[in-house]
Amino acid sequence: MNHFFNEMTAGDSGAVREHYRAFDAWLRHQPPERIERKRAEADLTFRRVGITFAVYGDGAGTERLIPFDTIPRIIPAHEWAALQAGLAQRVQALNMFVHDIYHEQNIVRAGIIPAQQIYQNAQYRPEMQGISVASDIYAHIAGVDIVRAGAGEFYVLEDNLRVPSGVSYMLEDRKMMMRLFPELFARHRIAPVEHYPDMLLENLRSVAPAGVLDPTIVVMTPGMHNSAYFEHAFLAQQMGVELVEGKDLFVDANAVYMRTIRGPRRVDVIYRRLDDDYLDPLAFRADSTLGVPGLLSVYRAGRVTLANAIGTGVADDKSIYPYVPDMIRFYLSEEPRLNNVPTWQCRRPEDLSYTLAHLDQLVVKEVHGAGGYGMLIGPAASKQEIEDFRRRLVARPDGYIAQPTLALSACPTYVESGIAPRHIDLRPFVLSGKTIAMVPGGLTRVALREGSLVVNSSQGGGTKDTWILEE
Amino acid sequence: MLSRTADHLYWMARYTERAENTARMLDVAMQTSMLPQSAVDTEQAWRAMLGISELQDAFDATYGTLDAKNVLAFMVCDPANPSSIVSCLTAARENARAVRGVLTTEVWETQNATWIELRDRLRVSLDADPGEFFDWVKHRCHLARGVTLGTMLDDEALVFIRLGAFLERADNTARLLDVKYHGAGAGATHDVLTQREFYYWAALLRSVAGFEIYRKVYRDSITPARVAELLMLRADMPRSLLACMQQVVANLKAVRNDVSAGTERLAGKMHAELQFARIEDVLAAGMDETLGKFMENIYALGNGISRDFLVPLGA
């Protein structure tokens, strides 16, 4: 990874980029002990406040901190404006795609996406066929992963349309930076993000079932042991709505109710943070105790809104990802504003043979994988790992895609040896309702291990505050 | 409010209160054990302490000798003992975590910080200075109570926190009195106490922070009858049965629903019986009788509250 883009400095000269100059000047005057003290303070506060994520299979009740880095990722206004327009375009097309898939399937008929890519997709839900959802919105909350490659151009890495996490860290990281270094906020014009919960609430209200004027909204969590439980509780609290589990809800007379101390209360909009599979044991996994029996029937009758909609996963699958630029052209008659990463679909024989011939140069991902598991990073893998992966790939080629290893951009980050560049990505959160909206910024994740490209928190990644500078 | 939310709030408060009560009882027992007494007396005192929480059998099943070291291990650190301080503070924190969005940040952080600090305290200060450890537990529970009153909106959430705390406290005071009255034996009703008896009743008062209050209220020597009166019938004594029941009645009224009339009636009856009782009559009828009945009623009341509010309707 020699030729990565450095967010703070440019080229061989190491000159500080325009939008980092004020920060750089400030940083030069900070005694290292002060930064060290502030980092310790941040850790202590995160721990006391319980801003943690639960770890599965790591002993009961284990909670871990996500490391927080005190050097912000800074993005100038014009870059954000371009990203924002591209994100809105992309999410709009994705919503239209999901609607189309569950209705006329025009994009299949037009020969743009092969039918088996839809029907063989594990995330395709036949139960949704022909069902209308409020405002035709499916992905009410999207978390789109964006990286910057070699020369500084942006690429979309993944469209997370099911239950994307991380927005609470975006907000807590900002709060922490303001608390640790208030003087930085006086020196910069940093676009605020704290109104995200208001925007989310407004968005959820706008997609209530037809005729419901003052909807009752809830956040639905799988429970305390879910890795993102902190975020679920945080969002419910910030919006001032109930945080419910499946057992708090029940279906009666074609409506969803929650069990309160004064008896049943009707629920209109559910911001659900559990996967389709667990929502309704009568419709999906019968062994799940996390969901609500009968929920799907109420949903299909249009008497409750689920955000995100059931079946949106059909669009954020890695096998559908390569088609997103075509979707944008097909539905919006526009050219895509954001790049896709070139992708080889191993189910195609010619793509497979290319992939097999270049395994040591490619990133190979499981189509349904998530969290940085089940992938091969060719350049970083041992011969043995590559041979193991080759066997898996040959055995089940349609389960994989391959992409070139992007030289992800890096941002200066505090590590044990001092300040050093570490690779980062960005997850902005896009809200779709009557309109498409987002707060300026997103969650910047950082791979703390030297040379590592894996930023997931479950793989030891950290986070940074993300600043969009106003002009 | 969700029934499940109310349930977590109620148990968060009960466990916090129970942690404090366990710390109080252990603290006093430790101090008492330092008085000159026979080995039999010491063992009996520890047994009585276990009796308060009905934990004799659980203790005997795992531990051998009935001594300070083992009782502390059992009542402070043992996660298998639901009344141990570790169990109580952990359960309080887990319940708080389940409803952290309903609590103010300050309340949640207090519960969480107590739980985080507990491990260090156990490692460092319990062996060296148990008294300091118990003071710390009491202090953290006071803090939890104070930050709750100081920051929470006075709504249904606070009502269920209060219900949990006062029910637990009433239960604890009743158990404490019950066991101590047994322990004191028949001789306890005479007016002039032996020195041993004096320390015995003084310790009981201290375990409910009642020693100074006793002096203030009675301005007289300590007698078992007055101790019983203070802990049962005085509305102005914060840990008395009457004071607790007053709160239970008022808080139940604030969340009354379609099915809670029976529970309210029971609480009202318990309150009225204490309100209009005279200590002479209680003693004449027998402490055993009165306290036994009261503890039965508290148990029924807890079940009633669960049934009417906490266990979801239609579940």
Side-chain angles (χ1 to χ4, degrees), chain A residues 359-360 362 376-387 389:
Chain A
L359 276 181
D360 58 339
L362 298 172
L376 174 81
I377 300 173
S382 69
K383 279 214 160 56
Q384 186 59 47
E385 283 166 337
I386 288 181
E387 287 319 305
F389 219 87

Side-chain angles (χ1 to χ4, degrees), chain B residues 201-314:
Chain B
W201 291 105
L204 168 59
L205 283 171
R206 286 210 175 87
S207 71
V208 291
F211 188 76
E212 291 143 33
I213 290 177
Y214 183 98
R215 291 289 196 221
K216 195 175 259 175
V217 169
Y218 295 101
R219 300 185 178 286
D220 204 341
S221 55
I222 292 176
T223 69
R226 287 195 203 112
V227 172
E229 184 186 59
L230 181 70
L231 296 191
M232 293 174 77
L233 307 180
R234 292 285 306 202
D236 49 4
M237 164 70 193
R239 309 185 81 83
S240 77
L241 304 188
L242 177 58
C244 293
M245 286 313 300
Q246 218 162 26
Q247 288 289 334
V248 169
V249 167
N251 283 290
L252 269 179
K253 193 176 159 196
V255 287
R256 172 182 295 168
N257 66 19
D258 294 347
V259 295
S260 64
T263 304
E264 267 197 86
R265 189 178 311 116
L266 174 59
K269 192 159 159 275
M270 293 166 71
H271 177 237
E273 276 169 9
L274 292 164
Q275 197 176 5
F276 300 113
R278 290 187 312 172
I279 196 63
E280 299 79 30
D281 300 336
V282 171
L283 293 173
M287 280 293 275
D288 278 6
E289 183 85 3
T290 312
L291 289 171
K293 183 80 194 136
F294 182 83
M295 288 186 289
E296 250 172 58
N297 280 337
I298 281 282
Y299 183 73
L301 195 53
N303 285 341
I305 290 172
S306 287
R307 193 181 51 237
D308 299 346
F309 301 103
L310 310 181
V311 175
L313 297 170

Side-chain angles (χ1 to χ4, degrees), chain A residues 40 45-46 65 91 148 179 184 233 274 288 291 326 329 368 450:
Chain A
T45 307
F46 278 131
L65 287 183
V91 171
R148 212 193 250 265
R179 175 175 170 163
L184 280 172
L274 67 171
S288 167
D326 286 339
R329 296 184 188 102
H368 306 304
E450 187 172 5

Side-chain angles (χ1 to χ4, degrees), chain A residues 117 121-123 162 316-320 345-347 364-370 374 396-401:
Chain A
Q117 288 294 83
N121 190 317
Q123 296 300 320
R162 281 169 269 181
D316 74 359
D317 194 281
K318 290 183 182 73
S319 67
I320 293 294
Q345 304 185 49
C346 299
R347 61 179 184 83
V364 189
K365 296 175 178 172
E366 237 177 316
V367 168
H368 306 304
R396 207 167 58 80
D398 57 346
Y400 296 90
I401 58 154

Side-chain angles (χ1 to χ4, degrees), chain A residues 78-379:
Chain A
H78 67 275
E79 282 187 355
W80 172 251
L83 274 177
Q84 191 175 20
L87 287 165
Q89 180 195 49
R90 193 166 174 107
V91 171
Q92 193 188 351
L94 284 163
N95 270 313
M96 293 171 80
F97 169 71
V98 184
H99 181 265
D100 186 27
I101 285 311
Y102 292 118
H103 292 82
E104 293 82 14
Q105 304 193 333
N106 291 326
I107 199 161
V108 177
R109 280 191 250 191
I112 295 170
I113 298 181
Q116 85 259 23
Q117 288 294 83
I118 308 299
Y119 294 122
Q120 286 172 8
N121 190 317
Q123 296 300 320
Y124 170 73
R125 301 286 174 206
E127 298 85 351
M128 290 297 291
Q129 203 60 51
I131 301 303
S132 290
V133 301
S135 307
D136 292 341
I137 299 297
Y138 291 80
H140 304 86
I141 298 100
V144 182
D145 288 345
I146 289 180
V147 297
R148 212 193 250 265
E153 69 280 14
F154 288 107
Y155 289 93
V156 172
L157 203 57
E158 242 173 58
D159 302 287
N160 297 292
L161 306 182
R162 281 169 269 181
V163 287
S165 289
V167 76
S168 56
Y169 295 98
M170 169 182 90
L171 298 170
E172 290 294 338
D173 285 357
R174 173 60 53 84
K175 212 196 288 179
M176 184 57 70
M177 280 303 272
M178 295 178 87
R179 175 175 170 163
L180 295 180
F181 306 111
E183 70 271 27
L184 280 172
F185 290 79
R187 282 169 179 245
H188 294 84
R189 294 169 54 81
I190 302 163
V193 293
E194 295 87 331
H195 56 292
Y196 177 85
D198 291 271
M199 271 173 59
L200 177 60
L201 182 61
E202 200 38 58
N203 188 68
L204 293 172
R205 291 179 65 92
S206 79
V207 292
V212 179
L213 297 178
D214 186 18
T216 296
I217 295 163
V218 299
V219 174
M220 185 178 183
T221 175
M224 288 213 297
H225 303 296
N226 185 269
S227 61
Y229 176 73
F230 162 71
E231 175 154 306
H232 308 160
F234 173 88
L235 288 174
Q237 180 185 42
Q238 294 295 308
M239 292 194 288
V241 304
E242 295 285 359
L243 178 67
V244 305
E245 295 180 16
K247 61 188 177 216
D248 298 320
L249 301 178
F250 68 98
V251 165
D252 188 38
N254 209 16
V256 181
Y257 294 90
M258 59 180 164
R259 308 173 202 271
T260 81
I261 56 168
R262 301 194 185 282
R265 180 165 163 209
R266 178 89 184 257
V267 171
D268 305 298
V269 179
I270 302 175
Y271 177 23
R272 50 94 170 210
R273 292 294 299 260
L274 67 171
D275 292 329
D276 289 355
D277 277 347
Y278 303 96
L279 277 178
D280 180 351
L282 300 183
F284 306 115
R285 282 181 62 154
D287 60 335
S288 167
T289 52
L290 301 173
V292 187
L295 180 60
L296 182 71
S297 67
V298 183
Y299 183 59
R300 284 168 54 100
R303 290 166 57 83
V304 68
T305 296
L306 294 178
N308 291 352
I310 291 177
T312 51
V314 74
D316 74 359
D317 194 281
K318 290 183 182 73
S319 67
I320 293 294
Y321 165 87
Y323 298 103
V324 176
D326 286 339
M327 276 178 211
I328 293 170
R329 296 184 188 102
F330 183 74
Y331 295 114
L332 303 176
S333 306
E334 294 173 9
E335 273 307 298
R337 290 164 174 271
L338 290 173
N339 302 313
N340 251 30
V341 180
T343 303
W344 289 275
Q345 304 185 49
C346 299
R347 61 179 184 83
R348 294 178 176 159
E350 66 277 18
D351 285 18
L352 177 64
S353 51
Y354 178 88
T355 303
L356 290 173
H358 297 87
L359 276 181
D360 58 339
Q361 297 157 35
L362 298 172
V363 178
V364 189
K365 296 175 178 172
E366 237 177 316
V367 168
H368 306 304
Y373 293 103
M375 63 194 280
L376 174 81
I377 300 173

